[in-house]
Amino acid sequence: MDGILYAIAIMALGGLVLGALLGYASTRFRVEGDPLVDQIDSILPQTQCGQCGFPGCRPYAEAIAKDEADINQCPPGGDENIHKLAELLGKEYKPLSAEHGVEKPKQVAVIDEKICIGCTLCIQACPVDAIVGAAKQMHTIAEDLCTGCELCIPPCPVECISMITVADTPSTWKWHKPGQQRIIPIVPVGSEMGSEAA
Amino acid sequence: MKLFTFKGGVKPDPNKTQSTQLPIAQAPLVNRYIVPLHQNIGGTPRPIVQVGDRVLKGQRLGDADGWVSAAVHAPTSGTVVEIGPHITPHPSGLPTDCVVIEADGRDAWIERQPFDIDNATPEDVRDYLRDMGIVGMGGAVFPSHVKLSVPSGKHIEELIINGAECEPFISCDDRLMREQALEIIQGSLLFGRLVNAGKILIGVEDNKPEAIAALNAAQQQHNAPVAIVTVPTIYPTGGAKELIRVLTGKEVPGSKRSTDFGVQVFNVATVQSAWRAITYGEPLISRIVTISGAVAEARNWSVPIGMPIGKLVNLAQPRTDSDGVIMGGPMMGFRISTDNAPVIKSTNSLIVHAPGLFPPKPAELPCIRCGSCAEACPQELQPFELYWWSRASKFDKLENYKLFDCIECGCCDYVCPSHIPLVNYFRFAKSEIQAEQREKQTADAARERHEFRQERADREKREKAERLAKANAARQAAGATLNASGAATAVANPDDAPDISSHPDQASTPIAVDNHPVLDAAAKQAAIAAAAERARLKREHHAVKNGDTSP
Ligand code: SF4
Ligand code: SF4
Ligand code: SF4
Ligand code: SF4
C-alpha cells in the first residue's frame, strides 16, 4: 500500500516539476517581439499561405529581418507590398519573384456542402480557423475570415473545396483617380446653366 | 436671434424656381418596384420575405441588422418576384441585393396603428423608428434612432432641424415645408421631446420665404416652442457642421460628434416621416423627389421607394436631347448608370442632363497655388495640399491635412481657376484609404487568429509532453516500487495500460492512453478512401442525371 502512495507522490512531484520547468521555459525562451520583425509583419498580408517558402507570414518576416530572404517572395502582398517593404528596409524594389507565384485578385474558399464528408482535414489545414464543423458533419467556411490561402484544398479527400474571386460591392468599391472626365458636374462659375430649363 | 458665419462658401445660381412653381404631385403606380435592402449607413437589412410571398403596402421586407441599421418596407401591395442583385443609384454602378415587387394595383396597406408613445420608454421609441425604416433624408441616410440616443452625461442644448436646402436645383424640402409645415413642426417637437432638447431651432435659407411663412403660421397655430430661424443663402449652409456654426456659433471638429457639443441635427423630411410613423403607423416607403434640368415640367413628386428612375423622369417629359440623369445636386451629385435604378431613401433630386445644361469644364490645368480653394472651403482646409498628395497617391500625408474633415461640398472645385476636379481626387483618396484600413483590419484579425491557433497547437503539444512525462514517471515509480518491494502484485493491473501492449508501434509513446480512441493510420486511410469513392460515385451519378435532363 505504501508503495502505491509513494508512486503517486513521485508522479505528482514529477508532474509539478516538469510543468514548472515547461512554464519557465515558455517565458524564458519566448521570442521577444522584435520591432523590425513586427514592422515587416504588419506590412505582410497575413494570408498565411506559405507561398513565400516559410510556414506563415511571421517566419517570413523574421527571415527578411535577418536578411535571409528577399523582399519579393509574397504573391498575395503583390507589388504594393514589395514597394512598402523596400521603403521600410531601404532596399531596392524588385518585381515579384515568379518562382513563388503570381499576384491575383482576392479569393475565398467555398465548400460544396453536398459533397463534404465531414472528415475535418480542412480544419486542420486552415491557418486562421476560418472553417467550422464537427467530425462527420458538413463543414462551412466563414467567408469574412478566410484569407484565401488555398491550404485547405489539397487535403480534402473529395475535392469539394473551390476558390471564388471576391466581387466588389458598392461598399468596397473604390473611386478611380480622376482622368479628364468629370464625375461630379460641379456647376461652373458664372455659367448660365439651368436658365434654359426654366 | 444672433447668427454666426462660417468661413468660405460660394453662391452658385440656386436654380430652384423652376421646380417650386407646382405643388408636390403623387407619382402614379407602376408595375414593378425594386427595393434595395441596403439603404442606410450601417448594417444591411436581412430579407424576411421569400420569392412568391404576397406583401401589403408597408409590410416589412428586411429587418435591421444590428443597432446601426434600419428596416425596409414594401412600397405597395403585390408579390415578391425576385430577391437578387440589381443596380441601384450609386457612383460605382455596381449591383446590390434588392427585393423586387410586382404590384397588384390595389395598393392595399397593412393594418396601421399609431404608436402609443406616452406609454413607451425611449428605447421602445428608438426600436420602433428603426423598424419603421426612419433614416436621415437629407442624403446621409444615417439611421435616425441612433442619432436620437444621446450619450449619457450629455445634454442636447440645441436641436437643429435642417431646412436650409442649400444645393442648387433641389427643392424637395422647400415644397415639403410649404405643404406640410404642421407635420414638420410636430415632428420637431417629437424629436425635441425624445432628446430632451433645451431648444428647437429650424434653420431655413432666406431664399425660401414661402416655406418660412408656412412654418411660422404652423408654429403660431400651436404656439409650439420652436424657433424658425432665417439664415443667409450661402452654399453649403445646409451642411450639418455649417448650420450648427451659423445657428449656435459652435465649432464641431471633424473627428468629434456634434452631441459632444450639445447639438444634434435632423433634416425636415426626417422629422416629418418619423412623426407620421408614430402618429399613423406609416413606415418610410416614399419620399419627395425634385425633378428638374432638361425637362418640360420641373416639379416635385411624392415617389414610392423602389420606383424605377426612368419611369419617374418620364413624368417630367425630358428634352429629346437629354443624355443621362444626375442624382443629387450639381455640386455633390453623381451620374446614375442606368434608368432602371430605383428611387431610394436618399434620392432627393434627379436632374435630367443634356448637352449645354452643364457645359463641360475645360481640361484640368496645373495648380497655380492661388489659394482660392482654401478661401472657399467651409471646413477651413487647404484643398490644394489635399489635391497634391491625393494626386501623388501619398495617402499617409493626407491625414495632416485632415482629408476626412472634407465634406465633399465642391466649393473648392467651383472656384478653382485651373478647373481641377478636386473633389474627385478627394473621393479617390478617401476610398483608397478606407480600403487600406479594411485590409489592415482583416490582416490584423487573420494574424490574431493565426497566433491563437499556433498557441493552441503549442499548448496541445505541451500538454501531451506533460502527460507523457507523468506517465513515464508513474511507470518508473511503479517499477521502482515493484523492485523495492519485490512483490509481483497488483501493479500490473491490466486496466492501467492495455493500449500500450496492444499497439506495439506506440509502445515508445505510452501517451496513447488517450480518452478518444484514435483510429490507426491504416484504418483512417481506408475510411477516407472509401468516402472518396462514395463521393465520386455520387458526383458521377449527379452528372449522369444532369446529362439526362439537359440534352
Ligand atoms: S506568401 Fe503567404 S505566408 Fe508568405 S508572407 Fe505572403 S501571405 Fe504570408
Ligand atoms: S476536407 Fe473536404 S470533406 Fe473533409 S471536412 Fe473539409 S471540406 Fe469536408
Ligand atoms: S484653386 Fe485650384 S489652382 Fe488655386 S490653389 Fe486651389 S487647386 Fe490650385
Ligand atoms: S470639397 Fe472639401 S476641400 Fe473642397 S471646399 Fe468642400 S470641404 Fe473644402
Side-chain angles (χ1 to χ4, degrees), chain A residues 124 128-129 177 185 189 193 197, chain B residues 293 330 357 391 414 431 449 453:
Chain A
Q124 293 164 42
V128 290
D129 285 343
K177 199 169 189 163
V189 193
M193 87 310 168
Chain B
L357 178 63
R391 193 188 154 95
Y414 182 79
S431 69
R449 294 179 73 83
R453 186 187 158 83

Side-chain angles (χ1 to χ4, degrees), chain A:
Chain A
M1 223 35 203
D2 260 326
I4 288 178
L5 283 178
Y6 191 43
I8 290 173
I10 288 193
M11 219 167 84
L13 205 74
L16 271 175
V17 169
L18 278 162
L21 206 73
L22 279 164
Y24 171 72
S26 72
T27 37
R28 172 67 182 77
F29 298 111
R30 178 196 230 116
V31 194
E32 281 297 315
D34 178 338
L36 183 61
V37 174
D38 281 347
Q39 272 173 306
I40 299 172
D41 193 39
S42 75
I43 293 175
L44 296 177
Q46 307 301 319
T47 309
Q48 314 291 1
C49 61
Q51 287 181 83
C52 50
F54 294 87
C57 302
R58 192 157 182 105
Y60 178 43
E62 280 158 6
I64 296 180
K66 279 190 250 156
D67 227 352
E68 286 167 3
D70 225 331
I71 57 170
N72 63 343
Q73 303 182 359
C74 168
D79 235 28
E80 204 183 312
N81 270 16
I82 301 174
H83 277 294
K84 284 189 193 161
L85 288 172
E87 197 176 323
L88 172 71
L89 301 163
K91 291 196 174 170
E92 189 112 356
Y93 160 82
K94 47 177 88 171
L96 182 66
S97 112
E99 145 199 2
H100 290 95
V102 285
E103 189 177 354
K104 45 185 177 186
K106 162 114 204 244
Q107 293 191 310
V108 288
V110 283
I111 293 179
D112 185 339
E113 293 168 1
K114 288 195 297 295
I115 302 179
C116 170
I117 53 168
C119 69
T120 76
L121 290 177
C122 55
I123 295 199
Q124 293 164 42
C126 177
V128 290
D129 285 343
I131 309 179
V132 284
K136 305 222 177 71
Q137 271 172 19
M138 142 204 126
H139 286 46
T140 353
I141 296 176
E143 197 188 308
D144 49 338
L145 302 178
C146 174
T147 61
C149 71
E150 303 187 17
L151 292 180
C152 53
I153 294 189
C156 177
V158 292
E159 286 171 25
C160 69
I161 311 180
S162 48
M163 302 300 295
I164 52 163
T165 302
V166 184
D168 256 344
T169 67
S171 29
T172 59
W173 170 84
K174 297 191 281 187
W175 285 86
H176 304 295
K177 199 169 189 163
Q180 288 303 319
Q181 180 76 38
R182 291 198 150 233
I183 307 161
I184 309 155
I186 307 265
V187 276
V189 193
S191 81
E192 297 296 310
M193 87 310 168
S195 42
E196 62 203 292

Side-chain angles (χ1 to χ4, degrees), chain B residues 226-243:
Chain B
V226 174
I228 289 104
V229 189
T230 308
V231 298
T233 300
I234 301 171
Y235 179 83
T237 301
K241 303 231 152 137
E242 282 64 32
L243 191 60

Side-chain angles (χ1 to χ4, degrees), chain B residues 367-373 384 416-418 420 422:
Chain B
C367 167
I368 52 169
R369 292 182 89 79
C370 64
S372 310
C373 51
F384 54 89
C416 176
S418 292
I420 301 171
L422 293 161

Side-chain angles (χ1 to χ4, degrees), chain B residues 475-495:
Chain B
R475 249 197 342 185
Q476 268 160 25
T481 337
L482 269 180
N483 290 346
S485 64
T489 44
V491 183
N493 185 340
D495 285 349

